[in-house]
């Protein structure tokens, strides 16, 4: 896409769809030895979006992502936006108390979780966060690795559960996403006080990508 033909979309899902239409075979993402074109990235995002719908995630729901840099982080973020939900980027270095506060404050309904990141065990961290903030709602956990865990459903099983969801339903959810709607919630480090939630709109994130 040339500088003279910048995207006009002002929501995250529409921006991805527009770029995929303009340059479908252009390289979009490379991670863990795998390459996605914009066309294949959009296809995988839509598959994750269908799985989210199958899990009951809808407009305004908060979905957390607790993981390092990996392809599933982007797939999840784009898919969450596609169904009108809000992605909550959780700090991989948060303490149990900080994470508990973030989960409670954001009202997270589901978490995409990398079980282990570097020396940290995120499954144990989430359990500790629940003990710190027992008022946290019953958060569903989806692991981003193949290995199963008693606390979680695995990523592949999560995706399969969305196979029977009609693609038109994803388009309907997408059509309800607005430029001034919240796409993502990030939290400050909380070094001097409790972490503060910072909402980012679809238009704001879209303009960052375009620029």
């Amino acid at each position: 896409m040339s500088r003279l033909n910048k995207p006009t979309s002002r929501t995250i899902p529409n921006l991805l769809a527009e770029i995929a239409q303009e340059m479908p075979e252009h390289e979009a993402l490379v991670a863990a030895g795998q390459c996605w074109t914009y066309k294949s990235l959009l296809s995988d995002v839509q598959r994750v979006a269908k799985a989210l719908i199958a899990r009951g995630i809808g407009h305004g729901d908060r979905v957390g992502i607790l993981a390092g840099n990996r392809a599933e982080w982007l797939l999840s973020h784009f898919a969450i936006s596609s169904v009108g939900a809000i992605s909550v980027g959780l700090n991989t270095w948060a303490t149990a108390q900080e994470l508990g506060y973030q989960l409670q404050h954001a009202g997270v309904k589901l978490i995409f979780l990398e079980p282990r990141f570097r020396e940290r065990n995120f499954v144990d961290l989430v359990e500790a966060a629940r003990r710190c903030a027992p008022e946290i709602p019953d958060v569903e956990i989806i692991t981003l690795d193949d290995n199963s865990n008693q606390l979680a459903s695995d990523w592949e099983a999560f995706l399969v559960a969305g196979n029977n969801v009609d693609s038109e339903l994803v388009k309907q959810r997408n059509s309800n996403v607005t430029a001034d709607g919240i796409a993502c919630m990030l939290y400050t480090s909380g070094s001097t006080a409790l972490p503060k939630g910072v909402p980012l709109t679809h238009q704001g994130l879209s303009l960052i990508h375009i620029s």
Side-chain angles (χ1 to χ4, degrees), residues 96-106 129 132-133 136 187 194-197:
Q97 183 177 7
E98 289 169 344
L99 180 61
Y101 172 78
Q102 292 173 28
L103 294 174
Q104 176 192 352
H105 181 265
C132 290
I136 294 173
Y187 280 84
L194 287 172
K196 293 179 175 60

Side-chain angles (χ1 to χ4, degrees), residues 185-207:
M185 179 81 74
L186 299 178
Y187 280 84
T188 60
S189 62
S191 56
T192 58
L194 287 172
K196 293 179 175 60
V198 180
L200 304 175
T201 65
H202 280 268
Q203 177 165 279
L205 287 175
S206 296
L207 291 174

